[in-house]
Amino acid sequence: MNRILFATDASVSAERAKDVVRHLLESWPNATLMVLYVTRQLNGYEPESLESLSVEQGTFKEIEDMAKHQWFREFEGRVSCKHVYGEPALVISMEAKERGADLIVLGGRGVGQPDPLLTGSVSHGVLYTSQVPVLVVKGDAKVPAMV
């Protein structure tokens, strides 16, 4: 495993997925990580107002700071962060393919509406659009003892 893409929205399920990502980075010392935050784009435009744009940029900066200085600080030099606008499931799938990711990791219940299969709508969309393997971490998941 060389490249991991971790899509996060800073939700509780993403917090648990972060723990799994940490375990993967420990297990594969040469793997790099891209932390991806996607702002949903409405009607082909960026957020409706400068205020919402500012909030989204602030959220990304918080995630970037936590990723580099808290969550994955011991993996310095192996972690990068990116903020993208668009339809989250499609953007996550496209970014993973374009970056040559070996695995996408994301939480199973985020801030979106749940679908009938009880995964989050974004994780459900990624499962069906990605050409890269996807690991959906459910809200009550435990980090495995071995990978």
Side-chain angles (χ1 to χ4, degrees):
M1 176 152 336
N2 295 316
R3 294 182 189 98
I4 302 165
L5 186 144
F6 171 44
T8 183
D9 58 4
S11 66
V12 172
S13 65
E15 177 72 18
R16 290 193 178 97
K18 172 211 38 115
D19 295 335
V20 171
V21 170
R22 170 187 275 306
H23 183 74
L24 293 171
L25 289 171
E26 290 167 350
S27 299
W28 283 284
N30 295 322
T32 60
L33 174 66
M34 157 74 68
V35 178
L36 182 66
Y37 178 70
V38 182
T39 295
R40 188 177 300 275
Q41 206 170 4
L42 302 174
N43 302 321
Y45 299 98
E46 290 186 5
E48 301 283 321
S49 69
L50 289 177
E51 181 181 334
S52 59
L53 177 61
S54 177
V55 168
E56 288 297 311
Q57 289 173 337
T59 300
F60 169 69
K61 287 297 181 191
E62 288 176 22
I63 288 170
E64 181 178 40
D65 184 59
M66 287 187 296
K68 290 185 175 181
H69 303 291
Q70 293 175 23
W71 301 342
F72 310 114
R73 69 178 172 266
E74 67 270 29
F75 305 108
E76 185 178 352
R78 295 170 56 193
V79 178
S80 62
C81 300
K82 186 172 183 181
H83 181 199
V84 181
Y85 293 88
E87 179 55 40
L90 295 175
V91 169
I92 293 166
S93 297
M94 286 181 1
E95 285 288 327
K97 183 178 179 194
E98 288 174 10
R99 301 208 173 272
D102 298 303
L103 179 67
I104 299 170
V105 180
L106 67 162
R109 279 260 200 209
V111 295
Q113 296 295 318
D115 69 31
L117 298 177
L118 299 179
T119 59
S121 60
V122 172
S123 57
H124 182 77
V126 173
L127 283 169
Y128 286 97
T129 60
S130 178
Q131 296 177 14
V132 173
V134 178
L135 173 60
V136 178
V137 179
K138 299 294 282 177
D140 58 352
K142 303 286 186 237
V143 176
M146 297 184 75
V147 175

